[in-house]
Amino acid sequence: MPLTVPVLPVGIDPAWLPPEAFRPLGSRRTLVQGAGPLVDTVHGEVAYACGQFGGEVVRNAADDAYDLVLRLARQTAADAGVLGSIGDLGDEGFAYERADETATVTAVGQRGLLYGLFHVVRLGEDAFRGARAREVHRPASALRMLDHWDNVAVHPVMGQVERGYAGGSLFWRDGGARGEWDRVRAYGRLLAACGVNAVSVNNVNVHETEAHLLTDRIDQVARIAGALRPYGIRTHLSVTFAAPVVLGGLSTADPFEGAVREWWAEAVRGVYSAIPDFGGFVVKADSEGQPGPFTYGRSHADGANLLAAALEPYGGTVHWRAFVYDHRQDWRDRTTDRARAAYDHFAPLDGEFADNAVLQVKHGPLDFQVREPVSPVLGAMPRTRLAVELQATQEYTGQQRHVCWLGPMWSEVLRFGPHGDGGASVGESVRGLVAVSNVGDDPFWTGHPLAQANLYTFGRLAWQPGRDPHGVLDEWIGLTFPSAPERLVGGLHAVLDGSWRTYEKYTAPLGVGFMVQPGHHYGPSVDGYEYSPWGTYHFADRDGIGVDRSAATGTGYAAQYGKPWAEVYESAATCPDELLLFFHHVPYGHVLADGRTVIQHIYDSHFEGVEEAEEARRVWAGLADLVDPAWHARVAERYEEQVRSAREWRDQINSYFLRKSGVPDARGRTIY
Ligand code: GCU
């Protein structure tokens, strides 16, 4: 009987770790060497697998012949030689090699050993074949975090999970901790297998009940932290900037007031006595109605540094979000441009943030649209620790009812060079990656089973931002469908690879942005936000469409970029077509690089997008004999909705623009 070790859970049974979460490997004897709670986790993983499927694991034994050695190297004379030749592994890195029939993982930090175990799992049988020269793996950055927008109490509008499409919260239910610690632990395991090491457990919009997590409800957070800790996940909390007023009864939350500083210092002391390895705070301030330093005439650096100072003695970090803009704008006022806001607020503060403050910047200037340029903030603050915020939860990309694998989009952001080809890419220059979580209590974790690929891809890109996302997808397929025949692998690639572009085609191509139904953001409503205060307009009229964000004649947003991008985006002639309507207002007859007019492109892409969604549904139907029936049925059911919704988008958008422009479809297809 071969030894087995775990792979990603692909579904949940009452024990949270179904047999499919484990995979036989070709090893029989494993040695786990080292001491500490995460080494215990590693040992427990292997021991559990041996108990299920056979094999043997020993702990801290003398040298002998083993198939797999998982070793926490100490700085002893015996290890010094090995470590010297490996180089700095840090807390999370590991080395893997195979010689003399033994595969060896060496780590210095306990997290590194855990990631090394999951590396062996990913390699599968290959981990035990032939000799393999030493490979050294280290994450590109130490911050790889998921932000849950989970509410403790069900919010009357936003529900238990704001923008959640995978059922209820894993952590909270009906106003209190949910208390299913085994499930939380299984979640930690899933995240560690992806490479994620931090979680924020509540919504950035901090309502009243949730504000209390910081003080009198911290014990509930401590329980969650306790369940995640064995997998190396550090717990974070979203807090309200007004906490000294709301919780402390002070008359002010002004960062320059001594009493306010003392209040935060005391609150943080309480947090760390409950959770000694607490990660820090996430703060949405002066944004969409959340309180912030502007109330007191202070800057965002003043606000962030207040919390950073309180966290500093304990090694905590404040994650300050850059999503700050005027959400009460007058749509008649063309001089205000929401896209400019983050840069205008934050770029002048470069260098003013404390060392333990991270500025968390959404990847685009607006709000997680299917296509946006990369935020200019990411190239404008070299003296500030920046993190990129991505949205795994598919608020604007099909709400986990549509297949939309976001790997290629995220990879484009991470490979973007704010200063052109010669300079560092976003992925190379930021301090970390954060994603808004797409996970809930759904049996498939993510509502749409194929949305698991987004979670996994996020974790792997956070570990190595320069990676080809298609390689990551291969990995996810291999782990989720072990021994899948070629037809299944091909089918999964066929429905996932191009799904982001398909979604873009039938919704909002050419970078036009917001055309969703207001509030819940699902389905088309071309003018849903056009006459609203939210600052997300497309300005379509009978002659043309798009927002002039040039410096010469528009809002000046294009000038927030460095070279070469400021020039590239400034002119409609050089701006990439996929972003044309984001940067320029053009006539419907404007000719794109491929020779088609804008109006014809709108028609064509909507027809094409629907055809691609229909084709994906057909491909999926043909995989029924190869996929677990429950999985297959869930995805098939969602494809029905995706195709229905895609047709709705096509028909509304095409009819709208035919009526506005009066230009018929050159190919004479049905437009209503
Ligand atoms: C979007 C989303 C909100 C969320 C906000 C944020 O606007 O619709 O639900 O609160 O982003 O990122 O803070």
Side-chain angles (χ1 to χ4, degrees):
M1 186 70 180
L3 173 71
T4 61
V5 287
V7 297
L8 291 169
V10 294
I12 299 182
D13 72 6
W16 310 123
L17 292 175
E20 307 89 86
F22 298 85
R23 159 195 271 192
L25 286 179
S27 169
R28 290 170 185 274
R29 297 199 76 212
T30 296
L31 170 65
V32 176
Q33 227 171 17
L38 268 65
V39 184
D40 293 346
T41 302
V42 169
H43 178 257
E45 286 281 338
V46 183
Y48 183 90
C50 292
Q52 295 277 311
F53 305 100
E56 187 194 354
V57 57
V58 292
R59 183 94 186 250
N60 295 335
D63 281 352
D64 195 352
Y66 297 100
D67 300 295
L68 174 63
V69 174
L70 297 155
R71 195 162 77 101
L72 193 66
R74 288 152 302 171
Q75 310 288 352
T76 59
D79 284 334
V82 183
L83 289 178
S85 67
I86 294 175
D88 183 19
L89 289 172
D91 179 46
E92 299 191 302
F94 61 89
Y96 165 77
E97 62 200 298
R98 187 165 191 271
D100 303 330
E101 307 283 296
T102 301
T104 305
V105 169
T106 306
V108 174
Q110 296 184 51
R111 280 193 181 87
L113 199 68
L114 184 64
Y115 296 134
L117 168 69
F118 285 122
H119 181 72
V120 172
V121 171
R122 276 193 296 272
L123 289 173
E125 286 294 325
D126 285 352
F128 300 94
R129 269 194 209 117
R132 285 177 79 109
R134 181 182 296 154
E135 308 161 8
V136 175
H137 299 265
R138 292 182 207 90
S141 72
L143 172 62
R144 308 182 302 278
M145 179 172 184
L146 280 176
D147 283 3
H148 280 256
W149 285 357
D150 297 13
N151 297 314
V152 177
V154 177
H155 185 269
V157 180
M158 293 301 177
Q160 188 83 68
V161 181
E162 180 159 331
R163 313 305 183 188
Y165 313 103
S169 169
L170 296 170
F171 307 130
W172 316 106
R173 186 156 60 191
D174 302 335
R178 184 170 177 148
E180 290 174 16
W181 307 118
D182 286 349
R183 187 202 286 251
V184 176
R185 187 183 155 98
Y187 179 54
R189 174 181 185 273
L190 174 65
L191 295 186
C194 301
V196 169
N197 67 358
V199 154
S200 172
V201 296
N202 65 306
N203 190 0
V204 288
N205 294 312
V206 183
H207 308 294
E208 203 194 324
T209 307
E210 292 74 15
H212 287 267
L213 294 173
L214 175 62
T215 51
D216 45 303
R217 283 176 173 249
I218 192 67
D219 55 316
Q220 299 177 356
V221 184
R223 293 296 301 274
I224 296 172
L228 295 173
R229 186 174 295 117
Y231 286 94
I233 314 280
R234 281 178 93 183
T235 296
H236 297 63
L237 201 58
S238 290
V239 296
T240 169
F241 190 76
V245 177
V246 179
L247 302 172
L250 302 192
S251 60
T252 177
D254 183 349
F256 286 9
E257 283 290 331
V260 170
R261 302 186 89 83
E262 280 157 32
W263 188 88
W264 277 109
E266 187 53 25
V268 169
R269 197 190 59 73
V271 170
Y272 277 90
S273 68
I275 312 169
D277 60 349
F278 181 70
F281 298 140
V282 177
V283 189
K284 173 176 179 175
D286 292 315
S287 169
E288 300 184 332
Q290 294 296 306
F294 285 166
T295 308
Y296 309 100
R298 311 299 180 201
S299 76
H300 278 269
D302 298 332
N305 292 346
L306 164 73
L307 273 63
L311 290 161
E312 197 273 332
Y314 309 92
T317 302
V318 59
H319 297 248
W320 195 266
R321 298 181 78 228
F323 183 58
V324 177
Y325 70 99
D326 177 7
H327 70 290
R328 296 212 179 88
Q329 185 180 330
D330 186 340
W331 59 268
R332 302 164 191 84
D333 164 21
R334 291 261 191 142
T335 61
T336 305
D337 178 5
R338 171 170 163 178
R340 292 187 54 117
Y343 181 103
D344 285 344
H345 284 300
F346 287 95
L349 301 177
D350 188 29
E352 292 184 23
F353 287 88
D355 284 351
N356 62 327
V358 167
L359 188 63
Q360 195 165 304
V361 184
K362 284 193 182 184
H363 67 82
L366 281 185
D367 196 4
F368 301 135
Q369 298 302 286
V370 69
R371 176 79 66 172
E372 290 187 43
V374 174
S375 169
V377 177
L378 295 168
M381 301 186 68
R383 291 179 298 143
T384 306
R385 285 161 187 74
L386 300 176
V388 191
E389 187 179 291
L390 307 169
Q391 195 180 42
T393 196
Q394 290 173 239
E395 175 178 4
Y396 294 104
T397 50
Q399 305 203 345
Q400 280 140 260
R401 285 182 254 181
H402 298 223
V403 179
C404 187
W405 174 55
L406 295 164
M409 181 217 257
W410 295 339
S411 176
E412 278 186 19
V413 171
L414 296 169
R415 291 178 194 208
F416 179 78
H419 305 289
D421 289 343
S425 65
V426 166
E428 284 161 352
S429 57
V430 295
R431 294 304 180 101
L433 257 64
V434 177
V436 186
S437 159
N438 64 350
V439 174
D441 68 2
D442 178 82
F444 296 98
W445 295 105
T446 51
H448 200 306
L450 297 178
Q452 285 183 19
N454 282 331
L455 180 67
Y456 188 75
T457 304
F458 165 73
R460 302 312 296 154
L461 288 181
W463 182 281
Q464 196 182 347
R467 257 192 91 176
D468 174 6
H470 292 93
V472 176
L473 187 59
D474 270 332
E475 229 174 72
W476 178 76
I477 291 172
L479 288 166
T480 307
F481 302 93
S483 1
E486 206 33 58
R487 182 159 65 87
L488 178 55
V489 174
L492 286 161
H493 273 292
V495 301
L496 283 163
D497 283 353
S499 55
W500 164 50
R501 283 173 196 277
T502 297
Y503 187 82
E504 178 184 34
K505 283 183 186 177
Y506 64 73
T507 58
L510 301 175
V512 73
F514 279 81
M515 288 191 172
V516 286
Q517 300 244 1
H520 56 69
H521 297 165
Y522 186 75
S525 176
V526 184
D527 284 338
Y529 277 102
E530 198 57 17
Y531 307 103
S532 82
W534 293 93
T536 51
Y537 315 120
H538 53 68
F539 298 133
D541 58 25
R542 65 176 189 173
D543 300 317
I545 179 170
V547 187
D548 183 355
R549 292 192 160 103
S550 69
T553 54
T555 69
Y557 167 81
Q560 292 184 334
Y561 290 87
K563 277 185 178 167
W565 300 110
E567 281 145 36
V568 169
Y569 295 145
E570 176 67 15
S571 155
T574 49
C575 179
D577 284 339
E578 63 203 18
L579 288 170
L580 182 68
L581 303 181
F582 193 93
F583 283 99
H584 297 280
H585 185 90
V586 296
Y588 292 115
H590 175 93
V591 178
L592 301 169
D594 66 4
R596 282 184 294 175
T597 60
V598 164
I599 189 73
Q600 193 57 40
H601 183 279
I602 292 174
Y603 298 149
D604 287 353
S605 73
H606 284 84
F607 282 113
E608 263 168 50
V610 172
E611 282 159 20
E612 288 172 16
E614 290 168 345
E615 171 62 10
R617 179 178 64 170
R618 194 192 62 75
V619 170
W620 183 258
L623 302 175
D625 57 321
L626 300 175
V627 179
D628 169 79
W631 251 79
H632 193 272
R634 173 67 78 88
V635 174
E637 160 206 312
R638 300 219 164 192
Y639 263 125
E640 291 307 310
E641 168 54 17
Q642 179 171 353
V643 169
R644 185 209 63 76
S645 174
R647 290 175 180 157
E648 183 76 24
W649 273 97
R650 175 196 64 194
D651 294 338
Q652 285 203 26
I653 302 275
N654 284 350
S655 300
Y656 178 97
F657 285 102
L658 174 64
R659 293 174 192 182
K660 274 259 159 160
S661 71
V663 181
D665 172 29
R667 294 170 59 189
R669 290 162 291 194
T670 303
I671 298 179
Y672 299 91

mmCIF file of all heavy atoms in Angstrom, residues 27 40 111 139 151 188 205 213 217 228 251 278 289 297 313 316 349 353 377 403 426 445 466 535 575 590 638:
data_model
loop_
_atom_site.group_PDB
_atom_site.id
_atom_site.type_symbol
_atom_site.label_atom_id
_atom_site.label_comp_id
_atom_site.label_asym_id
_atom_site.label_seq_id
_atom_site.Cartn_x
_atom_site.Cartn_y
_atom_site.Cartn_z
ATOM 1 N N SER A 27 5.774 6.728 -1.969
ATOM 2 C CA SER A 27 6.717 6.592 -0.870
ATOM 3 C C SER A 27 6.131 5.719 0.225
ATOM 4 O O SER A 27 4.942 5.737 0.475
ATOM 5 C CB SER A 27 7.042 7.970 -0.313
ATOM 6 O OG SER A 27 7.737 7.852 0.883
ATOM 7 N N ASP A 40 4.352 19.682 13.952
ATOM 8 C CA ASP A 40 3.297 18.742 14.367
ATOM 9 C C ASP A 40 2.232 18.629 13.278
ATOM 10 O O ASP A 40 1.717 17.542 13.004
ATOM 11 C CB ASP A 40 2.618 19.216 15.662
ATOM 12 C CG ASP A 40 3.558 19.180 16.861
ATOM 13 O OD1 ASP A 40 4.627 18.546 16.754
ATOM 14 O OD2 ASP A 40 3.221 19.819 17.880
ATOM 15 N N ARG A 111 6.936 27.191 8.750
ATOM 16 C CA ARG A 111 6.055 27.383 7.587
ATOM 17 C C ARG A 111 6.701 26.807 6.335
ATOM 18 O O ARG A 111 6.041 26.227 5.490
ATOM 19 C CB ARG A 111 5.788 28.862 7.345
ATOM 20 C CG ARG A 111 4.744 29.463 8.239
ATOM 21 C CD ARG A 111 4.360 30.836 7.683
ATOM 22 N NE ARG A 111 3.365 31.478 8.504
ATOM 23 C CZ ARG A 111 3.641 32.231 9.571
ATOM 24 N NH1 ARG A 111 4.887 32.444 9.930
ATOM 25 N NH2 ARG A 111 2.669 32.776 10.260
ATOM 26 N N PRO A 139 8.843 32.394 -1.265
ATOM 27 C CA PRO A 139 7.808 33.289 -1.782
ATOM 28 C C PRO A 139 8.405 34.646 -2.132
ATOM 29 O O PRO A 139 9.350 35.093 -1.492
ATOM 30 C CB PRO A 139 6.833 33.417 -0.614
ATOM 31 C CG PRO A 139 7.641 33.111 0.606
ATOM 32 C CD PRO A 139 8.718 32.147 0.177
ATOM 33 N N ASN A 151 -19.676 39.560 7.510
ATOM 34 C CA ASN A 151 -20.274 40.270 8.637
ATOM 35 C C ASN A 151 -20.592 39.268 9.743
ATOM 36 O O ASN A 151 -20.974 38.132 9.465
ATOM 37 C CB ASN A 151 -21.555 40.966 8.194
ATOM 38 C CG ASN A 151 -21.278 42.023 7.125
ATOM 39 O OD1 ASN A 151 -20.349 42.818 7.277
ATOM 40 N ND2 ASN A 151 -22.061 42.029 6.054
ATOM 41 N N GLY A 188 -7.981 26.599 6.681
ATOM 42 C CA GLY A 188 -6.576 26.984 6.819
ATOM 43 C C GLY A 188 -5.672 26.062 6.013
ATOM 44 O O GLY A 188 -4.718 26.494 5.366
ATOM 45 N N ASN A 205 -16.166 47.129 5.579
ATOM 46 C CA ASN A 205 -17.213 48.018 6.078
ATOM 47 C C ASN A 205 -17.567 47.495 7.469
ATOM 48 O O ASN A 205 -18.226 46.469 7.605
ATOM 49 C CB ASN A 205 -18.446 47.976 5.165
ATOM 50 C CG ASN A 205 -18.131 48.561 3.798
ATOM 51 O OD1 ASN A 205 -17.554 49.637 3.700
ATOM 52 N ND2 ASN A 205 -18.482 47.841 2.744
ATOM 53 N N LEU A 213 -15.445 43.386 17.702
ATOM 54 C CA LEU A 213 -14.459 42.297 17.615
ATOM 55 C C LEU A 213 -13.116 42.742 18.182
ATOM 56 O O LEU A 213 -12.352 41.946 18.726
ATOM 57 C CB LEU A 213 -14.283 41.842 16.155
ATOM 58 C CG LEU A 213 -15.499 41.175 15.515
ATOM 59 C CD1 LEU A 213 -15.230 40.930 14.036
ATOM 60 C CD2 LEU A 213 -15.854 39.875 16.224
ATOM 61 N N ARG A 217 -15.271 41.415 21.961
ATOM 62 C CA ARG A 217 -15.504 40.157 21.248
ATOM 63 C C ARG A 217 -14.203 39.539 20.724
ATOM 64 O O ARG A 217 -14.243 38.679 19.843
ATOM 65 C CB ARG A 217 -16.450 40.402 20.070
ATOM 66 C CG ARG A 217 -17.921 40.553 20.474
ATOM 67 C CD ARG A 217 -18.737 40.881 19.245
ATOM 68 N NE ARG A 217 -20.160 40.873 19.518
ATOM 69 C CZ ARG A 217 -21.001 39.962 19.041
ATOM 70 N NH1 ARG A 217 -20.564 38.974 18.284
ATOM 71 N NH2 ARG A 217 -22.285 40.034 19.315
ATOM 72 N N LEU A 228 -6.763 28.508 12.671
ATOM 73 C CA LEU A 228 -5.973 28.736 11.452
ATOM 74 C C LEU A 228 -4.468 28.587 11.694
ATOM 75 O O LEU A 228 -3.706 28.292 10.770
ATOM 76 C CB LEU A 228 -6.255 30.140 10.891
ATOM 77 C CG LEU A 228 -7.679 30.391 10.380
ATOM 78 C CD1 LEU A 228 -7.860 31.873 10.022
ATOM 79 C CD2 LEU A 228 -7.990 29.528 9.153
ATOM 80 N N SER A 251 -14.619 61.537 22.818
ATOM 81 C CA SER A 251 -15.375 62.491 22.004
ATOM 82 C C SER A 251 -14.737 62.652 20.628
ATOM 83 O O SER A 251 -15.285 63.306 19.753
ATOM 84 C CB SER A 251 -15.436 63.845 22.710
ATOM 85 O OG SER A 251 -14.109 64.314 22.892
ATOM 86 N N PHE A 278 -1.081 37.827 16.383
ATOM 87 C CA PHE A 278 -2.039 38.603 15.587
ATOM 88 C C PHE A 278 -1.306 39.362 14.471
ATOM 89 O O PHE A 278 -0.231 39.921 14.682
ATOM 90 C CB PHE A 278 -2.754 39.589 16.524
ATOM 91 C CG PHE A 278 -3.781 40.451 15.865
ATOM 92 C CD1 PHE A 278 -4.970 39.910 15.409
ATOM 93 C CD2 PHE A 278 -3.566 41.818 15.699
ATOM 94 C CE1 PHE A 278 -5.925 40.713 14.798
ATOM 95 C CE2 PHE A 278 -4.513 42.626 15.093
ATOM 96 C CZ PHE A 278 -5.699 42.063 14.644
ATOM 97 N N GLY A 289 -18.485 56.247 3.087
ATOM 98 C CA GLY A 289 -19.198 56.456 4.347
ATOM 99 C C GLY A 289 -18.468 55.966 5.593
ATOM 100 O O GLY A 289 -18.925 56.212 6.707
ATOM 101 N N GLY A 297 -9.282 66.845 9.800
ATOM 102 C CA GLY A 297 -8.326 67.611 9.010
ATOM 103 C C GLY A 297 -6.953 66.954 8.950
ATOM 104 O O GLY A 297 -5.948 67.617 8.723
ATOM 105 N N PRO A 313 4.900 47.795 18.598
ATOM 106 C CA PRO A 313 5.621 47.036 19.638
ATOM 107 C C PRO A 313 5.419 45.524 19.541
ATOM 108 O O PRO A 313 6.208 44.754 20.067
ATOM 109 C CB PRO A 313 5.006 47.557 20.946
ATOM 110 C CG PRO A 313 4.317 48.830 20.603
ATOM 111 C CD PRO A 313 3.958 48.761 19.155
ATOM 112 N N GLY A 316 2.952 44.021 14.592
ATOM 113 C CA GLY A 316 1.759 44.016 13.739
ATOM 114 C C GLY A 316 1.844 45.039 12.612
ATOM 115 O O GLY A 316 2.685 45.936 12.627
ATOM 116 N N LEU A 349 1.643 61.607 -0.505
ATOM 117 C CA LEU A 349 2.029 61.154 0.842
ATOM 118 C C LEU A 349 3.170 60.138 0.806
ATOM 119 O O LEU A 349 3.537 59.567 1.840
ATOM 120 C CB LEU A 349 0.821 60.521 1.548
ATOM 121 C CG LEU A 349 -0.411 61.415 1.732
ATOM 122 C CD1 LEU A 349 -1.554 60.626 2.378
ATOM 123 C CD2 LEU A 349 -0.072 62.638 2.574
ATOM 124 N N PHE A 353 4.445 57.199 5.285
ATOM 125 C CA PHE A 353 3.824 56.099 6.037
ATOM 126 C C PHE A 353 4.859 55.354 6.887
ATOM 127 O O PHE A 353 6.002 55.167 6.460
ATOM 128 C CB PHE A 353 3.148 55.114 5.078
ATOM 129 C CG PHE A 353 1.880 55.656 4.470
ATOM 130 C CD1 PHE A 353 1.914 56.393 3.293
ATOM 131 C CD2 PHE A 353 0.657 55.450 5.096
ATOM 132 C CE1 PHE A 353 0.755 56.916 2.742
ATOM 133 C CE2 PHE A 353 -0.508 55.966 4.547
ATOM 134 C CZ PHE A 353 -0.465 56.695 3.367
ATOM 135 N N VAL A 377 -1.220 54.460 -9.013
ATOM 136 C CA VAL A 377 -0.626 54.530 -7.667
ATOM 137 C C VAL A 377 0.510 53.510 -7.541
ATOM 138 O O VAL A 377 1.501 53.743 -6.858
ATOM 139 C CB VAL A 377 -1.708 54.269 -6.586
ATOM 140 C CG1 VAL A 377 -1.094 54.262 -5.194
ATOM 141 C CG2 VAL A 377 -2.829 55.299 -6.678
ATOM 142 N N VAL A 403 -18.490 31.201 -15.351
ATOM 143 C CA VAL A 403 -17.085 30.795 -15.294
ATOM 144 C C VAL A 403 -16.255 31.988 -15.719
ATOM 145 O O VAL A 403 -16.445 32.526 -16.819
ATOM 146 C CB VAL A 403 -16.793 29.629 -16.267
ATOM 147 C CG1 VAL A 403 -15.318 29.247 -16.202
ATOM 148 C CG2 VAL A 403 -17.655 28.427 -15.927
ATOM 149 N N VAL A 426 5.009 45.393 -11.548
ATOM 150 C CA VAL A 426 4.206 45.545 -10.331
ATOM 151 C C VAL A 426 4.499 44.381 -9.383
ATOM 152 O O VAL A 426 4.743 44.558 -8.194
ATOM 153 C CB VAL A 426 2.700 45.613 -10.679
ATOM 154 C CG1 VAL A 426 1.836 45.427 -9.444
ATOM 155 C CG2 VAL A 426 2.380 46.941 -11.371
ATOM 156 N N TRP A 445 -16.919 25.060 -1.471
ATOM 157 C CA TRP A 445 -16.137 26.192 -0.955
ATOM 158 C C TRP A 445 -16.441 27.503 -1.692
ATOM 159 O O TRP A 445 -16.511 28.545 -1.065
ATOM 160 C CB TRP A 445 -14.624 25.973 -1.064
ATOM 161 C CG TRP A 445 -14.017 24.871 -0.253
ATOM 162 C CD1 TRP A 445 -13.590 23.656 -0.707
ATOM 163 C CD2 TRP A 445 -13.723 24.892 1.150
ATOM 164 N NE1 TRP A 445 -13.062 22.922 0.333
ATOM 165 C CE2 TRP A 445 -13.126 23.653 1.475
ATOM 166 C CE3 TRP A 445 -13.896 25.838 2.162
ATOM 167 C CZ2 TRP A 445 -12.705 23.339 2.767
ATOM 168 C CZ3 TRP A 445 -13.483 25.517 3.441
ATOM 169 C CH2 TRP A 445 -12.892 24.288 3.733
ATOM 170 N N GLY A 466 5.478 36.297 -11.111
ATOM 171 C CA GLY A 466 5.860 36.252 -12.516
ATOM 172 C C GLY A 466 5.441 34.975 -13.226
ATOM 173 O O GLY A 466 5.670 34.806 -14.425
ATOM 174 N N GLY A 535 -19.814 58.170 -9.723
ATOM 175 C CA GLY A 535 -18.612 58.512 -10.497
ATOM 176 C C GLY A 535 -18.186 57.478 -11.519
ATOM 177 O O GLY A 535 -17.029 57.457 -11.942
ATOM 178 N N CYS A 575 -3.399 54.420 -27.679
ATOM 179 C CA CYS A 575 -4.005 53.705 -26.545
ATOM 180 C C CYS A 575 -4.430 52.303 -27.001
ATOM 181 O O CYS A 575 -5.054 52.151 -28.048
ATOM 182 C CB CYS A 575 -5.230 54.500 -26.075
ATOM 183 S SG CYS A 575 -6.091 53.729 -24.700
ATOM 184 N N HIS A 590 -15.195 55.420 -35.033
ATOM 185 C CA HIS A 590 -13.742 55.350 -34.814
ATOM 186 C C HIS A 590 -13.245 53.954 -35.204
ATOM 187 O O HIS A 590 -13.830 52.944 -34.808
ATOM 188 C CB HIS A 590 -13.437 55.635 -33.345
ATOM 189 C CG HIS A 590 -11.998 55.470 -32.971
ATOM 190 N ND1 HIS A 590 -11.099 56.513 -32.992
ATOM 191 C CD2 HIS A 590 -11.293 54.365 -32.583
ATOM 192 C CE1 HIS A 590 -9.909 56.055 -32.619
ATOM 193 N NE2 HIS A 590 -9.996 54.753 -32.375
ATOM 194 N N ARG A 638 -25.006 25.977 -13.427
ATOM 195 C CA ARG A 638 -24.533 27.369 -13.520
ATOM 196 C C ARG A 638 -24.324 27.793 -14.974
ATOM 197 O O ARG A 638 -24.475 28.961 -15.297
ATOM 198 C CB ARG A 638 -23.263 27.544 -12.704
ATOM 199 C CG ARG A 638 -23.571 27.205 -11.256
ATOM 200 C CD ARG A 638 -22.953 28.016 -10.219
ATOM 201 N NE ARG A 638 -23.730 27.715 -9.002
ATOM 202 C CZ ARG A 638 -23.672 28.381 -7.873
ATOM 203 N NH1 ARG A 638 -22.897 29.408 -7.760
ATOM 204 N NH2 ARG A 638 -24.420 28.039 -6.849
#
